[in-house]
Amino acid sequence: MLKKILSNYFFIRLVKALVTIFVVATFTFFLIRLMPGNPLDIFIATQLAQGVPLQEAQERAASLFHIDLSRPMMLQYLDYLKNLARGDFGVSIISTNTPVSKIILRFLPWTLFVVTVSLFISFIGGILLGVVMALYRNSWIDQILSFLASIISSIPNYVIAMLIVVYFGVKLKWFNIAEIRGSLSPGVKPEFSLYFLKDAFYHAMLPIIVYVLTTIGSWMLVMKSSTISTLGEDYVEVAKARGIKESRIMTSYVARNAILPLFVSLAISIGFVVGGSPLIESIFVYQGIGLKLSDAITTRDYPVMQAIFLIITASVVVANFLADLLLGVLDPRIRTSRN
Amino acid sequence: MATKHIIVDDLSVEYLGATKKIYALQHVSLDINRGESIALVGESGCGKSTLGVSFINLLPLNSRITSGTIKFISNSKEIDIFKTPTSELQKLRWSKIVMMAQGALNAFNPVMRIRDHFIDTAYSHGWKNKTEILNKARYLLKRVHLDSERVLSSFPHELSGGMRQRVLLSLGLLLNPEVVILDEPTTALDILTQRNIIELLKELKKEFNFTLIFITHDLSLAAELADRVAVMYAGKAVEVGDVYDIFATPYHPYTAGLITSTPKLRGESTEVTSIPGSPPNLSEIFKGCPFYERCPLRSNVCINSQPKLTAVEEKDGHLVACHHASKNTLEHIKQGDWLSTIQ
């Protein structure tokens, strides 16, 4: 019985996932402490810049922060692991007495919302366009789409984001830069209403556009090549000989099989998008976990940084795990090899 | 007198490559009789598979039919395959003419159960009753000696190569086709499985009474299964005739060469021979006989004049395309030292 559990595919996957998270937690803990400056220095420096005398700035810092940065690093690390094991991320240094978990619960949903919506749009759109490109390969449609896809997927997302803000926002004034920032308009509360949803989408629109534009190109190209190779499979030829309708062959025989390798990349790209969110969310001042991370980096708010880095890693690990499960459902060959 | 089932008349097919054309079939004419079993024999690249897919007009996109017709006679109506619109052709495929392309091992959609392959095929041809479909499928699977319940609920990768070939055969008989075309039905199977498939084909043919066209490079398979044999070389049919006539008195030197090159299991000689040279480049149109380069009987007349497929004097229904065809060809070949010995 025990042997069966230990050799179980999902058990092994779970252990691997936990080890990954542990390793990343350790690395981030030490790496962020190697950054120059600590929360106290940064706070005192900002106070000084505002004209507060050194003496007073130091006193303020001492009364505000209850941390002892001179404790041996190893002990801090052990404390951190101990708390982490209990699911306790600690307390923010800068926003005194605010648990990190509360900060995360407040900001993470917005990032997840934007990332999920944009990956959904770009994955579905990329797959449909990729199939069209494969079906009409070498036609003008394919040539134009392939050209656009390779250009658009090679531009970094922050460049597109800035372009949108500077050109469409400031110069052309297609939208009001001051109004669209943040994740909700002032006074709007999260609730189940059309009004709230409309407002949420209005504020999320620009980041979503950027994420979709920068990820759709690679989906299109990968799906195109995958579809072309599936079109050459014997079972597609035999399906035609079986007199099965073209539309049925395209969906159940070609697209259904061509899509399988894309699920692995989908999981990886979730991590990329969440990991890249600090830049995009800062540019659009979108109140997500990415913006919070870049704030935490400037103020050296160690616990918040640690927690957010961990969440980015965890999102990749969890997404990979889910993609794996999904692939098992979609591909019977994988299901068999696991049992 | 046998009634004709499929008439191939003057068929030419070419493939458009990146830089040159390949003339895969060049003016092929062939009659296939109702209920017979005919083997299309030839080496790789002789156009036999191209002819196979032409029967249901499923040629690849880069190909073009440059001349000729294929007529299929069903319920005493003549159907011109190349003039039939795609929607009609879709109904015809698998319900009247079953074409099983090479590579039966990958003939099934890897994410669909065998059951759904049967259902999918039947639905596409207007069959609605699921229980009826599955009952027929069960019968056919039992008929090819498979455990029907287990196979129906299996995914393709859970079956062995020989099982998959059998499943494909029973899927082929689902709609009671008039014609079954098999492209290399036993390639990639081990020798015992090949044996089983051949026996099975004989049984099925007897029970379901379809016209069988099978494409092979294996002469012994042709000898075993076929009533008639069409030998193809470089995109042409070079000799057509009754299986006994072809094997006993081949008129074409290529056919004679093939027969003498087939290793025999019994007999004194353990030497294996082969026809020297290699098949010609198909990107040129021949002025003369395509076999000229390799032929032991060649003469000047073969360079500029292409031999036509004509009936031999002695025997009705035995056709050959050779300027020097004679009933003594096999003797000539055996006496000469034309064939090279492989040690």
Side-chain angles (χ1 to χ4, degrees), chain A residues 137 234-235 237-238 240-246 248 252-253 256-257 260 330-333 335-336, chain B residues 56 58 90 93-94 99 102-103 106-112 117 120-121 124-125 155 157-158 171:
Chain A
R137 56 186 172 282
D234 289 332
Y235 55 81
E237 205 60 24
V238 174
K240 285 181 194 159
R242 277 159 61 202
I244 290 173
K245 286 202 183 63
E246 204 70 24
R248 171 102 183 127
S252 303
Y253 290 73
R256 176 73 172 73
N257 281 290
L260 294 176
L330 292 174
D331 192 339
R333 286 164 295 184
R335 225 178 302 155
T336 319
Chain B
I56 53 167
L58 203 62
Q90 259 169 13
R93 290 173 186 159
W94 217 261
M99 158 75 203
Q102 210 168 343
N106 288 320
F108 299 99
N109 186 347
V111 298
M112 267 167 79
H117 284 85
D120 224 12
T121 310
S124 299
H125 292 278
F155 281 104
H157 70 274
E158 294 166 337
L171 182 60

Side-chain angles (χ1 to χ4, degrees), chain B residues 152-177:
Chain B
L152 278 178
S153 55
S154 293
F155 281 104
H157 70 274
E158 294 166 337
L159 306 174
S160 72
M163 284 165 95
R164 269 181 254 180
Q165 182 63 272
R166 283 151 192 258
V167 175
L168 190 60
L169 281 177
S170 54
L171 182 60
L173 298 173
L174 182 68
L175 307 169
N176 296 320

Side-chain angles (χ1 to χ4, degrees), chain B residues 15-33:
Chain B
Y15 291 108
L16 306 169
T19 51
K20 57 187 180 183
K21 285 181 184 171
I22 305 287
Y23 300 97
L25 287 179
Q26 300 179 23
H27 305 287
V28 174
S29 296
L30 186 67
D31 292 346
I32 288 152
N33 299 323

Side-chain angles (χ1 to χ4, degrees), chain B residues 120-195:
Chain B
D120 224 12
T121 310
Y123 278 180
S124 299
H125 292 278
W127 206 348
K128 296 242 158 56
N129 188 335
K130 209 166 175 173
T131 351
E132 227 174 86
I133 299 167
L134 287 176
N135 281 338
K136 178 98 192 253
R138 276 186 204 105
Y139 171 73
L140 288 166
L141 286 170
K142 275 191 202 116
R143 196 60 201 74
V144 298
H145 314 301
L146 288 171
D147 174 356
S148 59
E149 284 313 315
R150 191 178 86 81
V151 168
L152 278 178
S153 55
S154 293
F155 281 104
H157 70 274
E158 294 166 337
L159 306 174
S160 72
M163 284 165 95
R164 269 181 254 180
Q165 182 63 272
R166 283 151 192 258
V167 175
L168 190 60
L169 281 177
S170 54
L171 182 60
L173 298 173
L174 182 68
L175 307 169
N176 296 320
E178 295 179 27
V179 181
V180 174
I181 305 161
L182 299 169
D183 192 350
E184 299 283 7
T186 58
T187 318
L189 296 177
D190 65 79
I191 200 98
L192 284 174
T193 316
Q194 282 189 16
R195 184 78 256 150

Side-chain angles (χ1 to χ4, degrees), chain B residues 181-314:
Chain B
I181 305 161
L182 299 169
D183 192 350
E184 299 283 7
T186 58
T187 318
L189 296 177
D190 65 79
I191 200 98
L192 284 174
T193 316
Q194 282 189 16
R195 184 78 256 150
N196 290 333
I197 297 287
I198 292 169
E199 290 308 321
L200 197 59
L201 273 172
K202 283 183 183 167
E203 285 172 29
L204 292 175
K205 177 141 178 15
K206 213 180 241 167
E207 180 178 339
F208 295 94
N209 203 22
F210 44 81
T211 302
L212 176 64
I213 303 171
F214 66 98
I215 297 163
T216 184
H217 63 272
D218 184 350
L219 275 184
S220 49
L221 184 65
E224 186 131 21
L225 265 178
D227 304 322
R228 285 203 307 147
V229 174
V231 179
M232 296 189 61
Y233 185 76
K236 289 167 179 297
V238 293
E239 187 161 8
V240 183
D242 198 88
V243 65
Y244 298 107
D245 295 337
I246 292 279
F247 278 90
T249 46
Y251 276 62
H252 199 284
Y254 177 65
T255 314
L258 280 183
I259 291 166
T260 26
S261 302
T262 307
K264 288 164 192 65
L265 277 179
R266 287 175 215 142
E268 64 293 339
S269 171
T270 51
E271 277 179 350
V272 179
T273 56
S274 76
I275 302 172
S278 49
N281 185 356
L282 288 178
S283 54
E284 288 156 27
I285 291 184
F286 306 109
K287 250 165 69 195
C289 176
F291 193 55
Y292 178 78
E293 294 292 332
R294 302 166 83 183
C295 185
L297 306 176
R298 66 185 172 197
S299 69
N300 285 338
V301 66
C302 308
I303 302 177
N304 285 317
S305 144
Q306 226 180 81
K308 296 238 164 3
L309 197 64
T310 42
V312 303
E313 281 166 27
E314 294 85 351

